[in-house]
Amino acid sequence: MLSSDKVTEFRETGVLIVEDVLGGDILGPVREEYTVLLDELIEGWGNPPEIPEGSFEERAIAAYRAGYDWFQPMDIALPGERITIDTPFHAGPAVFTMLTAPRLLDLMESLIGPEITSNPIQHVRIKPPASDLRDGEVRAHVGGTDWHQDRGVALEEADTSDVITVWVAVTDATPENGCLTCVPRAETMLPHCPKTQTTIADGFVDERRAKALPVKAGGVVLLDPLVPHAALPNKTDGIRWSFDLRYNPTGHPTGRAHFPDFVARSRSLPDSELRDWRAWRQMWLDARATCAKRPHIELHRWSGDSPVCA
C-alpha cells in the first residue's frame, strides 16, 4: 500500500514514481512469454535469414528492420482501426498474472478503493531504436508518443470515471531510451486534435515545464488522467519495453464499453474477481468477434475541423 504521504503527493501532482513494484517472479514469465510469441511469429514468417538467432531484443529489432510487423500481434488489446475476425492480439497467462499482481492492486487500492476493475485501455510498448524507424512511422506503440491526457484518448463515457494509469517498466526507462515526460496536471481536459496521433492542440502545453520520469525495470509510473504527458524518442541501440495499464473503481465506465473489463479485486465480493486467464482471453476473443460484425467504433472523439486544430 502507498503511505499517506505518497497518496497526498499523487493527489497534488497527479504523478508518482514507485520503484520495485514487480519483481522477477512477475516480469520474468512475461519476458519468457513474449520470447516464445516472437519465435512463433518468426517461424510463421518462414524463419527469414534477416532474423538470426539471438535474444528477444535482438530478434525484435532485426524483424522490424526486415519489415516484419510484430506490434499488433504482441499488443494486449484490440486496435483502434477496423477489427476483423482474425485481428491479432496477445492475451497470455503471464500478462494476466501481471495485470492482477497483488502489489499493483495494492497501489490501486490506496488510490481508488478496494473495488478495482482492470480497464481495457491497455497496451504493450516495445519501441525499437528511433534510428531504425521507417519513414512515416507514426504509431504510438512504435515511436515517440505525442502530448496527450489519458482522459482525452478515452471515450466520453469515462469523463467522470476515476481511472488511474499504471505505466510498468519492463526495461529501465531513461531519458535516452524514451521514458515518459510530463508537465503539471491540468485542471480540466485540454482540447485534442487528430494529428499523427491524438494530440493536445498546439499552444496548450508549455514544454519548458516538462519533467522526465525515469524508472527502473519493475517500477511503475502512476498517472492521473488529466496529466499531459508524452514519451521521448528512443535514442539508444536497444528496445524500450513497457506496459500501459489502467484501473478504475468497479462500476465506473471504462471509456471502451465494447472492449472487456474485469474485476481484478473486490473486498466485498471476492467471488466476483476474475482469476482464470483463459476466461480473460475468451472475453477478448468474443469482443473481437462482435466488433468484426458491426460498424467500426472510433476510439477517439476529436475532430480535425475544430478551430483549435486549424
Side-chain angles (χ1 to χ4, degrees):
M1 295 289 188
L2 292 172
S3 68
S4 58
D5 288 345
K6 290 299 183 182
V7 171
T8 298
E9 179 182 346
F10 180 78
R11 296 299 181 203
E12 291 178 349
T13 67
V15 179
L16 189 67
I17 296 174
V18 186
E19 298 282 8
D20 300 321
V21 175
L22 300 178
D25 59 324
I26 299 294
L27 293 185
V30 169
R31 295 186 184 101
E32 293 171 6
E33 188 167 281
Y34 270 79
T35 298
V36 171
L37 175 58
L38 180 57
D39 288 346
E40 291 173 347
L41 290 170
I42 293 170
E43 183 178 358
W45 299 327
N47 292 307
E50 305 97 316
I51 312 175
E53 293 298 322
S55 67
F56 173 85
E57 178 178 42
E58 292 167 339
R59 303 196 91 194
I61 293 173
Y64 182 80
R65 288 174 177 165
Y68 294 93
D69 198 338
W70 39 259
F71 295 97
Q72 184 53 46
M74 289 187 177
D75 204 6
I76 58 173
L78 292 167
E81 59 263 20
R82 186 74 173 89
I83 295 167
T84 67
I85 195 61
D86 58 357
T87 296
F89 67 92
H90 178 65
V95 172
F96 182 77
T97 298
M98 178 183 64
L99 285 168
T100 56
R103 292 202 66 192
L104 277 187
L105 299 181
D106 288 345
L107 297 180
M108 291 301 95
E109 184 166 350
S110 298
L111 296 174
I112 63 174
E115 308 302 315
I116 303 169
T117 284
S118 174
N119 184 297
I121 305 177
Q122 57 189 28
H123 297 286
V124 66
R125 311 288 197 186
I126 304 175
K127 296 180 184 286
S131 58
D132 285 331
L133 298 184
R134 292 186 282 273
D135 291 342
E137 180 63 83
V138 298
R139 292 173 294 178
H141 297 30
V142 183
T145 306
D146 291 342
W147 286 99
H148 65 283
Q149 296 164 296
D150 283 344
R151 182 166 293 172
V153 296
L155 296 179
E156 293 93 329
E157 66 181 56
D159 280 355
T160 59
S161 296
D162 192 6
V163 181
I164 305 293
T165 295
V166 182
W167 195 92
V168 178
V170 180
T171 57
D172 291 350
T174 68
E176 293 73 31
N177 73 2
C179 69
L180 293 181
T181 182
C182 75
V183 298
R185 175 177 53 190
E187 294 302 317
T188 60
M189 186 159 60
L190 302 174
H192 290 61
C193 299
K195 298 184 179 181
T196 53
Q197 301 162 13
T198 298
T199 306
I200 294 173
D202 293 343
F204 285 86
V205 174
D206 184 357
E207 296 187 30
R208 296 171 299 178
R209 304 176 71 192
K211 174 185 176 182
L213 302 171
V215 60
K216 294 180 180 179
V220 304
V221 180
L222 306 180
L223 293 170
D224 177 275
L226 291 178
V227 170
H229 61 283
L232 297 170
N234 178 6
K235 295 182 179 180
T236 70
D237 294 330
I239 63 170
R240 195 225 68 191
W241 185 357
S242 64
F243 285 91
D244 181 3
L245 313 177
R246 289 173 176 78
Y247 299 87
N248 57 261
T250 299
H252 287 207
T254 66
R256 292 286 188 278
H258 56 299
F259 288 170
D261 58 70
F262 67 88
V263 175
R265 173 175 288 178
S266 175
R267 298 297 190 186
S268 64
L269 295 170
D271 287 346
S272 67
E273 297 174 2
L274 187 68
R275 301 187 177 100
D276 185 349
W277 75 271
R278 297 174 186 82
W280 173 61
R281 182 174 184 272
Q282 188 60 51
M283 292 164 66
W284 278 100
L285 290 170
D286 293 343
R288 182 177 69 177
T290 299
C291 290
K293 295 176 183 177
R294 66 185 185 187
H296 175 60
I297 298 173
E298 291 291 342
L299 297 189
H300 299 167
R301 69 184 79 177
W302 306 98
S303 171
D305 57 10
S306 170
V308 298
C309 298

